[in-house]
Amino acid sequence: DAGVIQSPRHEVTEMGQEVTLRCKPISGHNSLFWYRQTMMRGLELLIYFNNNVPIDDSGMPEDRFSAKMPNASFSTLKIQPSEPRDSAVYFCASSQTPGMGTGELFFGEGSRLTVL
Amino acid sequence: AQTVTQSQPEMSVQEAETVTLSCTYDTSESDYYLFWYKQPPSRQMILVIRQEAYKQQNATENRFSVNFQKAAKSFSLKISDSQLGDAAMYFCAMMLKAAGNKLTFGGGTRVLVKP
């Protein structure tokens, strides 16, 4: 299996621009997570989906952030408009259905976002 | 709310020696998993070891082992025979089975390996 695939790997943009991060989970995994990693706040859960349905979005910082999962093999995290404080590494992770398997989350390589 | 705390921002170890990383957690739940993830400079998050709360036996994966003290809510990681490739950030994490597969992470411990 190719693992969790994220794109882009790096993104540099200017304040006010729209940013879209993409994720393809491991085939057969029903849960998908978006995490943000910064020096100040560590790894924070932004949102997670189960069977393509958002279950918990309490970690989404504000309305500028939105996430979608139109099907089992694709998810996006969008920031509009972007701000310098959004600069971080954004990880996507997937796992089997809660209660099944080992509970392990498999992470993508992350998307490093820099907002100037 | 559940919390995970790693009190050591950085640990240094001589190659071939042993280092132990501390982790404490807090939850009122009784059924959960605990994990240690490794993040090398490539930033890929790699699972090192996992422990189920209802299992008393400490998990072991080759040179990595844990000391799980459920009553004390402690979950330390021991790296034996440290190798240069072990240099990375290590994150302790907890997953409550009743809360889906959400992981709550500690702040991380950076491990430096001296040749």
Side-chain angles (χ1 to χ4, degrees):
Chain A
D1 199 315
V4 176
I5 299 173
Q6 291 186 246
S7 65
R9 189 116 160 89
H10 303 278
E11 174 92 6
V12 179
T13 190
E14 293 189 345
M15 184 173 61
Q17 296 298 305
E18 178 179 295
V19 174
T20 299
L21 307 179
R22 298 172 177 79
C23 176
K24 176 179 169 54
I26 291 173
S27 177
H29 282 188
N30 294 334
S31 296
L32 183 140
F33 305 80
W34 283 100
Y35 280 86
R36 178 172 68 176
Q37 185 178 32
T38 61
M39 289 293 292
M40 291 298 295
R41 301 175 68 89
L43 281 152
E44 304 173 278
L45 177 65
L46 299 178
I47 185 171
Y48 89 93
F49 296 83
N50 194 39
N51 292 323
N52 312 338
V53 176
I55 303 300
D56 183 353
D57 65 354
S58 59
M60 295 287 264
E62 47 197 278
D63 292 345
R64 298 184 296 105
F65 285 69
S66 63
K68 294 182 179 180
M69 192 165 186
N71 58 62
S73 58
F74 184 66
S75 176
T76 59
L77 178 67
K78 186 174 292 187
I79 309 172
Q80 167 64 20
S82 58
E83 296 183 2
R85 60 192 167 121
D86 302 331
S87 298
V89 178
Y90 291 82
F91 285 99
C92 177
S94 70
S95 73
Q96 293 178 301
T97 300
M100 297 178 61
T102 63
E104 179 183 355
L105 264 63
F106 293 80
F107 285 80
E109 293 183 321
S111 296
R112 179 178 294 280
L113 172 64
T114 302
V115 183
L116 304 175
Chain B
Q2 61 271 18
T3 59
V4 179
T5 302
Q6 294 178 247
S7 58
Q8 305 152 317
E10 186 174 288
M11 295 287 284
S12 184
V13 61
Q14 202 72 35
E15 196 175 6
E17 297 292 306
T18 295
V19 64
T20 300
L21 311 183
S22 300
C23 173
T24 59
Y25 60 94
D26 189 26
T27 180
S28 57
E29 300 286 332
S30 60
D31 199 7
Y32 49 88
Y33 293 108
L34 295 166
F35 301 85
W36 279 98
Y37 276 86
K38 171 184 177 181
Q39 188 179 39
S42 68
R43 78 171 182 246
Q44 177 79 50
M45 295 288 287
I46 303 165
L47 178 67
V48 175
I49 200 165
R50 63 185 288 273
Q51 174 84 40
E52 295 190 62
Y54 69 84
K55 290 187 176 179
Q56 292 185 332
Q57 185 173 6
N58 289 324
T60 300
E61 286 288 340
N62 301 314
R63 297 182 296 106
F64 298 87
S65 61
V66 298
N67 183 4
F68 174 45
Q69 301 290 326
K70 190 171 184 178
K73 296 182 180 177
S74 171
F75 183 61
S76 61
L77 174 71
K78 184 169 78 172
I79 308 174
S80 303
D81 185 25
S82 297
Q83 301 176 359
L84 295 178
D86 296 333
M89 283 290 290
Y90 287 80
F91 292 94
C92 179
M94 175 171 62
M95 177 188 291
L96 303 182
K97 291 187 181 180
N101 282 4
K102 294 190 299 182
L103 276 177
T104 300
F105 286 92
T109 297
R110 182 175 301 280
V111 172
L112 306 173
V113 181
K114 298 179 180 179

